[in-house]
Amino acid sequence: MSTSATILFQNHHIHYYKYGEGAKTLLAFHGFGQTGPDFEPLTEALTQEYTMYCFDLFYHGKSYWNDQDTPMTKEFWKEFIDKFTQTHHIDNFSLCGFSLGGKFALATLETHPERIDKVMLLAPDGIKTNTWYSLATYPVFLKNYFKSMIVKPHRFFNLINIAKKAGLVEKGILKFASSQMNTRKKRRRVYYAWVVFKELSFNMKKMGSLINHYNISLEMFLGTHDKIITKKGMYKLLKHVKVYELHVAESGHNKLIEKVAKHLKSTKQEP
């Protein structure tokens, strides 16, 4: 059971869902192509302990970024989190980020480390950035080329075929990318997400230092069959963190939330 609301902040709309009434607070950020309610399997395992706020990221669900070609800054995100936590009378809190939502968890960690108790990262983007999430940071002429794919999708699928024939990209990644580009609405979301979120990049040595200095608990979950976010790539962060928990589930990328929920439920049932 959840309630939901939309916040108007600096002319942008941010929608969120509230689950549970636990004593602690958890802010959760979903993956690409999802919405806040995609965390519902996790809420069943966590809401005895946490009150969960699951956000729709911009260009997803009911959240709306009102300045299409202007990137969201980390300062904007800091001010939003300040406003949100002040409104809800939240002091310290924990974070959860899946896939694309990992960037928002990391942005919140970077801007509010002294207030964070725990970070749960599920196959997070933002540590080892995938090529398909980075295309809009290329020079302007390429950026315009990718923008044109919204109305001329054959350009994208031509690139896919070239990449496939040349063996440049894992088949699993190509399949994921294709599934996110098969309608005009999806292609529009892909392009503007690339543009608006492109400033969410992080120095992993700095992130590790923040986690260590503030004694933030870090728990990371990965899937054995995930071709998008790999265990090897995650050591860009983990090698800088003194204490962490790493769990690898028998899962691909898209089913990881359900697998993590089952893991958390089973650990709570142990004597």
Side-chain angles (χ1 to χ4, degrees):
M1 193 71 178
S2 69
T3 58
S4 71
T6 299
I7 299 171
L8 179 62
F9 182 72
Q10 295 184 14
N11 210 31
H12 306 289
H13 294 82
I14 304 166
H15 193 79
Y16 67 92
Y17 300 80
K18 179 184 176 184
Y19 295 87
E21 297 290 343
K24 300 177 183 178
T25 298
L26 181 69
L27 310 184
F29 309 102
H30 62 73
F32 195 89
Q34 296 185 328
T35 59
D38 280 279
F39 277 116
E40 284 185 359
L42 271 185
T43 67
E44 297 171 17
L46 293 174
T47 48
Q48 285 189 347
E49 182 178 1
Y50 292 99
T51 298
M52 290 183 64
Y53 295 94
C54 303
F55 295 86
D56 286 349
L57 302 182
F58 294 116
Y59 296 102
H60 295 74
K62 298 178 182 177
S63 291
Y64 179 71
W65 180 257
N66 201 35
D67 200 357
Q68 290 180 342
D69 284 311
T70 301
M72 186 191 85
T73 64
K74 292 178 183 178
E75 183 60 28
F76 168 90
W77 190 247
K78 177 184 184 301
E79 291 173 5
F80 167 69
I81 294 295
D82 286 340
K83 177 67 174 178
F84 183 84
T85 54
Q86 180 184 8
T87 300
H88 291 275
H89 309 290
I90 298 167
D91 294 322
N92 286 14
F93 52 91
S94 295
L95 302 170
C96 179
F98 169 60
S99 194
L100 175 63
K103 286 192 171 188
F104 288 80
L106 291 171
T108 311
L109 169 61
E110 186 176 272
T111 54
H112 299 82
E114 72 287 350
R115 299 179 62 190
I116 295 171
D117 299 318
K118 180 176 182 176
V119 179
M120 295 173 57
L121 296 175
L122 285 60
D125 189 28
I127 295 175
K128 174 67 170 66
T129 305
N130 188 285
T131 304
W132 293 96
Y133 283 103
S134 305
L135 294 175
T137 61
Y138 283 94
V140 170
F141 75 95
L142 277 181
K143 177 179 161 184
N144 291 337
Y145 180 82
F146 288 117
K147 187 175 183 178
S148 74
M149 290 178 186
I150 296 173
V151 293
K152 299 177 181 177
H154 65 275
R155 292 186 171 185
F156 171 78
F157 291 106
N158 286 344
L159 280 181
I160 284 284
N161 288 331
I162 291 169
K164 187 185 295 184
K165 289 176 182 177
L168 297 175
V169 187
E170 285 270 5
K171 288 183 179 178
I173 295 174
L174 292 175
K175 184 178 179 181
F176 175 81
S178 296
S179 72
Q180 297 299 332
M181 295 285 280
N182 57 14
T183 69
R184 181 167 179 163
K185 181 179 179 180
K186 287 183 179 180
R187 291 191 295 274
R188 186 176 182 277
R189 179 173 62 199
V190 167
Y191 173 76
Y192 284 112
W194 279 335
V195 171
V196 173
F197 304 152
K198 70 178 183 179
E199 292 193 9
L200 297 184
S201 61
F202 311 93
N203 180 304
M204 290 301 115
K205 186 175 181 180
K206 176 183 177 183
M207 301 305 289
S209 295
L210 292 174
I211 291 168
N212 296 333
H213 179 75
Y214 291 98
N215 294 313
I216 298 169
S217 174
L218 175 63
E219 199 167 5
M220 184 179 287
F221 297 86
L222 304 173
T224 51
H225 307 301
D226 192 340
K227 303 300 183 184
I228 298 167
I229 306 294
T230 65
K231 184 177 178 180
K232 181 180 177 181
M234 296 304 96
Y235 281 102
K236 286 190 70 176
L237 170 62
L238 296 179
K239 69 182 180 182
H240 300 295
V241 179
K242 292 178 181 177
V243 180
Y244 61 86
E245 291 184 39
L246 176 61
H247 308 275
V248 182
E250 190 73 21
S251 174
H253 189 75
N254 293 331
K255 297 294 183 181
L256 191 58
I257 289 177
E258 289 87 346
K259 291 286 186 177
V260 172
K262 288 181 181 179
H263 168 79
L264 294 175
K265 287 177 185 177
S266 67
T267 57
K268 290 180 185 297
Q269 291 170 359
E270 293 174 0

